[in-house]
Coordinates of all heavy atoms in Angstrom, one line a residue:
A280 N 8.2 8.4 -10.1 CA 7.5 7.7 -9.0 C 7.9 6.2 -9.1 O 8.2 5.7 -10.1 CB 6.0 7.8 -9.2
A281 N 8.0 5.6 -7.9 CA 8.4 4.2 -7.9 C 7.2 3.3 -8.4 O 6.1 3.5 -7.9 CB 8.7 3.8 -6.5
Q282 N 7.4 2.6 -9.4 CA 6.4 1.8 -10.1 C 6.8 0.3 -10.2 O 8.0 0.0 -10.3 CB 6.0 2.3 -11.4 CG 5.4 3.7 -11.3 CD 5.0 4.2 -12.7 OE1 5.5 3.8 -13.7 NE2 4.0 5.1 -12.6
L283 N 5.9 -0.5 -10.1 CA 6.0 -2.0 -10.3 C 5.1 -2.5 -11.4 O 3.9 -2.2 -11.2 CB 5.9 -2.8 -9.0 CG 6.0 -4.3 -9.1 CD1 7.4 -4.7 -9.4 CD2 5.5 -4.8 -7.8
V284 N 5.6 -3.2 -12.3 CA 4.7 -3.7 -13.4 C 4.4 -5.1 -13.0 O 5.3 -5.9 -12.8 CB 5.4 -3.6 -14.8 CG1 4.4 -4.3 -15.8 CG2 5.8 -2.2 -15.1
I285 N 3.1 -5.4 -12.9 CA 2.7 -6.8 -12.6 C 1.8 -7.3 -13.7 O 0.9 -6.7 -14.2 CB 1.8 -6.7 -11.3 CG1 2.6 -6.0 -10.1 CG2 1.3 -8.1 -10.8 CD1 1.7 -5.7 -9.0
K286 N 2.1 -8.6 -14.1 CA 1.2 -9.2 -15.1 C 0.0 -9.7 -14.3 O 0.0 -10.5 -13.4 CB 1.9 -10.4 -15.8 CG 1.0 -11.0 -16.8 CD 1.9 -11.7 -17.9 CE 1.0 -12.4 -18.8 NZ 0.7 -11.9 -20.0
K287 N -1.2 -9.3 -14.8 CA -2.5 -9.7 -14.2 C -3.4 -10.2 -15.3 O -3.9 -9.3 -16.2 CB -3.2 -8.5 -13.5 CG -4.3 -8.8 -12.7 CD -4.7 -7.6 -11.9 CE -5.9 -8.0 -11.0 NZ -6.4 -7.1 -10.1
G288 N -3.5 -11.5 -15.4 CA -4.3 -12.0 -16.5 C -3.6 -11.8 -17.8 O -2.5 -12.1 -18.0
M289 N -4.3 -11.2 -18.7 CA -3.8 -10.9 -20.0 C -3.3 -9.5 -20.1 O -2.8 -9.1 -21.2 CB -4.8 -11.2 -21.1 CG -5.2 -12.7 -21.2 SD -3.8 -13.8 -21.7 CE -3.5 -13.3 -23.3
S290 N -3.4 -8.7 -19.1 CA -3.0 -7.4 -19.2 C -1.9 -7.1 -18.2 O -1.6 -7.9 -17.3 CB -4.2 -6.4 -18.9 OG -4.6 -6.6 -17.7
W291 N -1.3 -5.9 -18.2 CA -0.3 -5.5 -17.3 C -0.8 -4.3 -16.5 O -1.4 -3.5 -16.9 CB 1.0 -5.0 -18.1 CG 1.7 -6.1 -18.8 CD1 1.5 -6.6 -20.1 CD2 2.7 -7.0 -18.3 NE1 2.3 -7.7 -20.4 CE2 3.0 -7.9 -19.3 CE3 3.3 -7.1 -17.1 CZ2 4.0 -8.9 -19.1 CZ3 4.3 -8.1 -16.9 CH2 4.6 -9.0 -17.9
L292 N -0.4 -4.4 -15.2 CA -0.9 -3.4 -14.2 C 0.4 -2.7 -13.7 O 1.3 -3.4 -13.4 CB -1.6 -4.1 -13.1 CG -1.9 -3.3 -11.9 CD1 -3.0 -2.3 -12.2 CD2 -2.4 -4.2 -10.7
V293 N 0.3 -1.4 -13.6 CA 1.4 -0.6 -13.1 C 0.9 -0.1 -11.8 O 0.0 0.6 -11.7 CB 1.8 0.5 -14.1 CG1 2.9 1.3 -13.4 CG2 2.2 0.0 -15.4
A294 N 1.6 -0.5 -10.7 CA 1.3 -0.1 -9.3 C 2.2 1.2 -9.0 O 3.4 1.1 -9.1 CB 1.5 -1.1 -8.4
D295 N 1.5 2.3 -8.7 CA 2.2 3.5 -8.3 C 2.5 3.4 -6.8 O 1.6 3.9 -6.0 CB 1.5 4.7 -8.6 CG 2.2 6.0 -8.4 OD1 3.2 5.9 -7.7 OD2 1.7 7.0 -8.8
W296 N 3.6 2.8 -6.4 CA 3.8 2.5 -5.0 C 4.0 3.8 -4.2 O 3.6 3.8 -2.9 CB 5.0 1.7 -4.7 CG 4.7 0.2 -5.2 CD1 5.0 -0.4 -6.3 CD2 3.7 -0.6 -4.5 NE1 4.5 -1.6 -6.4 CE2 3.7 -1.9 -5.3 CE3 3.0 -0.6 -3.3 CZ2 2.9 -2.9 -4.9 CZ3 2.2 -1.6 -2.9 CH2 2.2 -2.9 -3.7
L297 N 4.5 4.9 -4.7 CA 4.6 6.1 -3.9 C 3.2 6.6 -3.6 O 3.0 7.1 -2.4 CB 5.4 7.1 -4.7 CG 5.6 8.5 -4.0 CD1 6.4 8.3 -2.7 CD2 6.4 9.4 -4.9
S298 N 2.3 6.6 -4.5 CA 1.0 7.0 -4.2 C 0.2 6.2 -3.2 O -0.5 6.7 -2.3 CB 0.1 7.1 -5.5 OG 0.5 8.0 -6.3
I299 N 0.4 4.9 -3.3 CA -0.2 3.9 -2.4 C 0.3 4.1 -1.0 O -0.4 4.2 -0.1 CB 0.1 2.5 -2.9 CG1 -0.7 2.2 -4.2 CG2 -0.5 1.5 -1.8 CD1 -0.3 0.9 -4.9
K300 N 1.7 4.2 -0.9 CA 2.2 4.5 0.4 C 1.8 5.7 1.0 O 1.5 5.8 2.2 CB 3.8 4.5 0.2 CG 4.5 4.7 1.5 CD 6.0 4.8 1.3 CE 6.8 5.2 2.6 NZ 8.2 5.3 2.3
T301 N 1.8 6.8 0.2 CA 1.4 8.1 0.7 C 0.0 8.1 1.2 O -0.3 8.7 2.3 CB 1.5 9.2 -0.4 OG1 2.9 9.3 -0.8 CG2 1.1 10.6 0.1
E302 N -0.9 7.4 0.5 CA -2.3 7.3 0.9 C -2.4 6.6 2.2 O -3.2 7.0 3.1 CB -3.2 6.7 -0.2 CG -4.6 6.6 0.1 CD -5.5 6.1 -1.0 OE1 -4.9 5.9 -2.1 OE2 -6.6 6.0 -0.8
Y303 N -1.7 5.5 2.4 CA -1.7 4.8 3.6 C -1.2 5.5 4.8 O -1.8 5.6 5.8 CB -0.9 3.4 3.5 CG -0.9 2.6 4.7 CD1 -2.0 1.8 5.1 CD2 0.2 2.6 5.6 CE1 -2.0 1.1 6.3 CE2 0.2 2.0 6.8 CZ -0.9 1.2 7.1 OH -1.0 0.4 8.3
V304 N -0.1 6.2 4.6 CA 0.6 6.9 5.7 C -0.3 8.1 6.2 O -0.3 8.4 7.3 CB 2.0 7.3 5.4 CG1 2.6 8.3 6.4 CG2 2.9 6.1 5.2
T305 N -0.9 8.7 5.2 CA -1.7 10.0 5.6 C -3.1 9.9 5.8 O -3.8 10.9 5.9 CB -1.4 11.0 4.4 OG1 -1.8 10.6 3.2 CG2 0.1 11.4 4.4
S306 N -3.7 8.6 5.6 CA -5.1 8.5 5.8 C -5.4 7.3 6.8 O -4.4 6.7 7.4 CB -5.8 8.1 4.5 OG -5.5 6.8 4.1
N307 N -6.6 7.1 7.1 CA -6.9 6.0 8.0 C -7.4 4.8 7.2 O -8.1 3.9 7.7 CB -7.9 6.4 9.1 CG -9.3 6.8 8.5 OD1 -9.4 6.8 7.3 ND2 -10.2 7.1 9.3
C308 N -7.0 4.7 5.9 CA -7.4 3.6 5.0 C -6.6 2.3 5.4 O -5.3 2.5 5.7 CB -7.2 4.0 3.6 SG -8.0 2.9 2.4
D309 N -7.2 1.2 5.4 CA -6.4 -0.1 5.7 C -5.8 -0.7 4.5 O -6.2 -0.4 3.3 CB -7.2 -1.0 6.6 CG -8.5 -1.6 5.8 OD1 -8.6 -1.2 4.6 OD2 -9.3 -2.2 6.4
L310 N -4.9 -1.6 4.7 CA -4.2 -2.2 3.6 C -5.1 -3.0 2.6 O -5.0 -2.9 1.4 CB -3.1 -3.1 4.1 CG -1.9 -2.4 4.7 CD1 -0.9 -3.4 5.3 CD2 -1.3 -1.5 3.7
P311 N -6.1 -3.9 3.2 CA -6.9 -4.5 2.2 C -7.7 -3.6 1.3 O -7.9 -3.9 0.1 CB -8.0 -5.3 3.1 CG -7.2 -5.5 4.4 CD -6.4 -4.2 4.6
T312 N -8.2 -2.5 1.8 CA -9.0 -1.5 1.0 C -8.1 -0.9 0.0 O -8.5 -0.8 -1.2 CB -9.5 -0.4 1.9 OG1 -10.4 -1.0 2.9 CG2 -10.3 0.7 1.1
L313 N -6.8 -0.6 0.4 CA -5.9 0.1 -0.6 C -5.5 -0.9 -1.7 O -5.5 -0.6 -2.9 CB -4.6 0.5 0.1 CG -4.7 1.8 0.8 CD1 -3.4 2.0 1.5 CD2 -5.0 2.9 -0.1
A314 N -5.4 -2.2 -1.4 CA -5.0 -3.3 -2.3 C -6.1 -3.4 -3.3 O -5.8 -3.4 -4.5 CB -4.9 -4.7 -1.6
K315 N -7.3 -3.4 -2.8 CA -8.5 -3.5 -3.8 C -8.5 -2.3 -4.7 O -8.8 -2.4 -5.9 CB -9.8 -3.7 -3.0 CG -10.9 -4.0 -3.9 CD -12.2 -4.3 -3.0 CE -13.4 -4.9 -3.9 NZ -14.4 -5.3 -3.1
K316 N -8.4 -1.1 -4.1 CA -8.5 0.2 -4.8 C -7.5 0.3 -5.9 O -7.8 0.8 -7.0 CB -8.4 1.3 -3.8 CG -8.4 2.7 -4.4 CD -8.3 3.8 -3.4 CE -8.3 5.2 -4.0 NZ -8.2 6.3 -3.0
H317 N -6.3 -0.2 -5.7 CA -5.2 0.0 -6.6 C -4.9 -1.2 -7.4 O -4.0 -1.2 -8.2 CB -3.9 0.4 -5.8 CG -4.0 1.9 -5.3 ND1 -3.9 2.9 -6.0 CD2 -4.5 2.2 -4.0 CE1 -4.0 4.0 -5.3 NE2 -4.4 3.7 -4.1
G318 N -5.6 -2.3 -7.2 CA -5.6 -3.4 -8.1 C -4.3 -4.4 -7.8 O -3.8 -4.9 -8.8
V319 N -3.9 -4.3 -6.6 CA -2.8 -5.2 -6.2 C -3.2 -6.2 -5.1 O -4.2 -5.9 -4.5 CB -1.5 -4.4 -5.7 CG1 -1.0 -3.5 -6.8 CG2 -1.9 -3.6 -4.4
S320 N -2.5 -7.3 -5.0 CA -2.9 -8.3 -4.0 C -2.6 -7.8 -2.6 O -1.6 -7.0 -2.4 CB -2.3 -9.6 -4.3 OG -0.8 -9.6 -3.9
Y321 N -3.5 -8.3 -1.7 CA -3.2 -7.9 -0.3 C -1.9 -8.4 0.1 O -1.2 -7.6 0.9 CB -4.3 -8.5 0.6 CG -4.1 -8.4 2.0 CD1 -4.0 -7.0 2.7 CD2 -3.7 -9.4 2.8 CE1 -3.7 -6.9 4.0 CE2 -3.4 -9.3 4.2 CZ -3.4 -8.0 4.7 OH -3.1 -7.8 6.1
S322 N -1.5 -9.6 -0.3 CA -0.2 -10.1 0.1 C 0.9 -9.3 -0.3 O 1.8 -9.0 0.4 CB -0.1 -11.5 -0.5 OG 1.2 -12.0 -0.3
T323 N 0.9 -8.7 -1.6 CA 1.9 -7.9 -2.1 C 2.0 -6.6 -1.3 O 3.1 -6.1 -0.9 CB 1.7 -7.7 -3.6 OG1 1.7 -8.9 -4.3 CG2 2.8 -6.7 -4.2
I324 N 0.9 -6.0 -1.1 CA 0.9 -4.7 -0.4 C 1.3 -4.8 1.1 O 2.0 -4.0 1.6 CB -0.5 -4.0 -0.5 CG1 -0.4 -2.5 -0.3 CG2 -1.5 -4.5 0.4 CD1 -1.6 -1.6 -0.6
R325 N 0.9 -6.0 1.7 CA 1.3 -6.2 3.1 C 2.8 -6.4 3.2 O 3.4 -5.8 4.1 CB 0.6 -7.4 3.6 CG 0.9 -7.8 5.1 CD 0.2 -9.0 5.5 NE 0.3 -10.2 4.7 CZ 1.3 -10.9 4.5 NH1 2.4 -10.7 5.2 NH2 1.4 -12.0 3.7
K326 N 3.4 -7.2 2.3 CA 4.8 -7.4 2.3 C 5.6 -6.1 2.1 O 6.6 -5.8 2.8 CB 5.2 -8.4 1.3 CG 4.8 -9.8 1.6 CD 5.1 -10.8 0.4 CE 4.5 -12.2 0.8 NZ 4.7 -13.0 -0.4
R327 N 5.1 -5.3 1.1 CA 5.8 -4.0 0.8 C 5.7 -3.1 2.0 O 6.7 -2.4 2.3 CB 5.2 -3.4 -0.4 CG 5.8 -2.1 -0.9 CD 6.4 -2.3 -2.2 NE 7.1 -1.1 -2.6 CZ 7.6 -0.9 -3.8 NH1 7.4 -1.9 -4.7 NH2 8.2 0.1 -4.1
S328 N 4.6 -3.0 2.6 CA 4.4 -2.1 3.7 C 5.2 -2.5 4.9 O 5.8 -1.6 5.6 CB 2.9 -1.9 4.1 OG 2.4 -3.1 4.7
S329 N 5.3 -3.8 5.1 CA 6.2 -4.3 6.2 C 7.6 -4.0 5.9 O 8.4 -3.5 6.8 CB 6.0 -5.8 6.3 OG 6.8 -6.3 7.3
K330 N 8.1 -4.3 4.7 CA 9.5 -4.1 4.3 C 9.9 -2.6 4.5 O 11.0 -2.3 4.9 CB 9.7 -4.5 2.9 CG 11.1 -4.4 2.4 CD 11.2 -4.8 0.9 CE 12.5 -4.5 0.3 NZ 12.6 -4.8 -1.1
E331 N 9.0 -1.7 4.1 CA 9.3 -0.2 4.1 C 8.8 0.5 5.3 O 8.9 1.7 5.5 CB 8.6 0.4 2.9 CG 9.3 -0.1 1.6 CD 8.6 0.5 0.3 OE1 7.8 1.4 0.4 OE2 9.1 0.1 -0.8
H332 N 8.2 -0.3 6.4 CA 7.8 0.3 7.7 C 6.8 1.4 7.6 O 6.8 2.4 8.2 CB 9.1 0.9 8.4 CG 10.1 -0.2 8.5 ND1 10.1 -1.2 9.4 CD2 11.3 -0.3 7.8 CE1 11.3 -2.0 9.3 NE2 12.0 -1.4 8.3
W333 N 5.7 1.1 6.8 CA 4.7 2.0 6.6 C 3.9 2.4 7.8 O 3.5 3.5 8.1 CB 3.6 1.6 5.5 CG 4.2 1.5 4.1 CD1 5.4 1.8 3.7 CD2 3.4 1.2 3.0 NE1 5.5 1.6 2.3 CE2 4.3 1.2 1.9 CE3 2.1 0.8 2.8 CZ2 3.9 1.0 0.5 CZ3 1.7 0.5 1.4 CH2 2.5 0.6 0.3
S334 N 3.7 1.3 8.7 CA 2.9 1.5 10.0 C 3.7 2.5 10.9 O 3.0 3.4 11.5 CB 2.7 0.3 10.6 OG 1.8 -0.5 9.9
E335 N 5.0 2.4 10.9 CA 5.8 3.3 11.8 C 5.7 4.7 11.3 O 5.6 5.6 12.0 CB 7.2 2.8 11.9 CG 7.4 1.4 12.7 CD 7.2 0.2 11.8 OE1 6.7 0.3 10.7 OE2 7.6 -0.9 12.3
Q336 N 5.8 4.8 10.0 CA 5.7 6.1 9.3 C 4.3 6.7 9.6 O 4.2 8.0 9.8 CB 6.0 6.0 7.9 CG 7.4 5.6 7.6 CD 7.7 5.4 6.1 OE1 7.2 6.1 5.2 NE2 8.5 4.4 5.8
R337 N 3.3 5.9 9.6 CA 1.9 6.4 9.9 C 1.9 6.9 11.3 O 1.3 8.0 11.5 CB 0.9 5.3 9.7 CG -0.5 5.6 9.9 CD -1.4 4.4 9.8 NE -2.2 4.6 8.6 CZ -3.2 3.8 8.2 NH1 -3.5 2.8 9.0 NH2 -3.9 4.1 7.1
E338 N 2.5 6.2 12.2 CA 2.5 6.6 13.6 C 3.2 8.0 13.7 O 2.8 8.9 14.4 CB 3.1 5.6 14.5 CG 2.3 4.3 14.6 CD 2.9 3.3 15.5 OE1 4.0 3.5 16.1 OE2 2.4 2.1 15.4
E339 N 4.3 8.1 13.1 CA 5.2 9.3 13.1 C 4.3 10.5 12.5 O 4.4 11.6 13.0 CB 6.4 9.2 12.3 CG 7.4 8.3 13.0 CD 8.6 8.0 12.1 OE1 8.8 8.5 11.0 OE2 9.5 7.1 12.5
Q340 N 3.5 10.2 11.5 CA 2.7 11.2 10.8 C 1.5 11.7 11.7 O 1.0 12.7 11.6 CB 2.2 10.6 9.6 CG 1.4 11.5 8.7 CD 2.2 12.6 7.9 OE1 3.4 12.4 7.7 NE2 1.6 13.7 7.6
G341 N 1.2 10.7 12.7 CA 0.1 11.1 13.6 C -1.2 10.6 13.1 O -2.3 11.0 13.6
T342 N -1.2 9.8 12.1 CA -2.5 9.3 11.5 C -3.0 8.2 12.4 O -2.2 7.3 12.7 CB -2.3 8.8 10.1 OG1 -1.7 9.8 9.3 CG2 -3.6 8.3 9.5
I343 N -4.2 8.2 12.8 CA -4.8 7.2 13.6 C -5.7 6.3 12.9 O -6.6 6.8 12.2 CB -5.7 7.9 14.8 CG1 -4.6 8.8 15.7 CG2 -6.3 6.8 15.7 CD1 -5.4 9.6 16.7
Y344 N -5.5 5.1 13.0 CA -6.3 4.0 12.3 C -7.2 3.3 13.4 O -6.6 2.8 14.3 CB -5.5 3.0 11.5 CG -6.3 1.9 11.0 CD1 -7.3 2.1 10.0 CD2 -6.2 0.6 11.6 CE1 -8.0 1.1 9.5 CE2 -6.9 -0.4 11.0 CZ -7.9 -0.2 10.0 OH -8.6 -1.2 9.6
E345 N -8.4 3.4 13.2 CA -9.3 2.7 14.1 C -10.1 1.6 13.4 O -10.6 1.8 12.3 CB -10.3 3.6 14.7 CG -9.7 4.7 15.6 CD -10.6 5.7 16.3 OE1 -11.9 5.3 16.3 OE2 -10.2 6.7 16.7
R346 N -10.1 0.4 13.9 CA -10.8 -0.7 13.3 C -12.3 -0.6 13.5 O -12.8 -0.2 14.4 CB -10.3 -2.1 13.8 CG -8.9 -2.3 13.3 CD -8.4 -3.6 14.0 NE -7.0 -3.7 13.7 CZ -6.4 -4.7 13.0 NH1 -7.1 -5.6 12.6 NH2 -5.1 -4.7 12.8

């Protein structure tokens, strides 16, 4: 799985990006909620999702997100 190690305070956090991306693409969960749930910053998850075109993949998957 694609992982990124992030220093957070005095501990290290490993983000499982494949799981985060899969959850976003296949659910109606929004990025701020996923960021909080997985312990990554909203800025980081937003940049990653934009770079990897998660929203487009979500549309292709047929997942509908309603605000």
Side-chain angles (χ1 to χ4, degrees):
Q282 296 182 336
L283 174 67
V284 179
I285 304 168
K286 182 155 172 102
K287 187 171 185 176
M289 295 300 288
S290 63
W291 291 91
L292 171 70
V293 177
D295 182 351
W296 288 107
L297 181 58
S298 294
I299 296 169
K300 176 183 175 181
T301 300
E302 185 172 355
Y303 179 77
V304 170
T305 61
S306 75
N307 63 357
C308 196
D309 62 7
L310 292 176
T312 302
L313 284 175
K315 188 172 185 177
K316 178 179 178 181
H317 292 277
V319 296
S320 74
Y321 171 69
S322 174
T323 300
I324 201 169
R325 182 180 48 79
K326 289 175 187 174
R327 181 114 183 191
S328 70
S329 177
K330 179 181 172 184
E331 296 180 1
H332 309 283
W333 293 3
S334 293
E335 291 86 347
Q336 293 173 40
R337 178 183 252 189
E338 289 175 15
E339 290 171 6
Q340 184 76 21
T342 305
I343 299 171
Y344 171 70
E345 296 180 19
R346 292 178 187 237

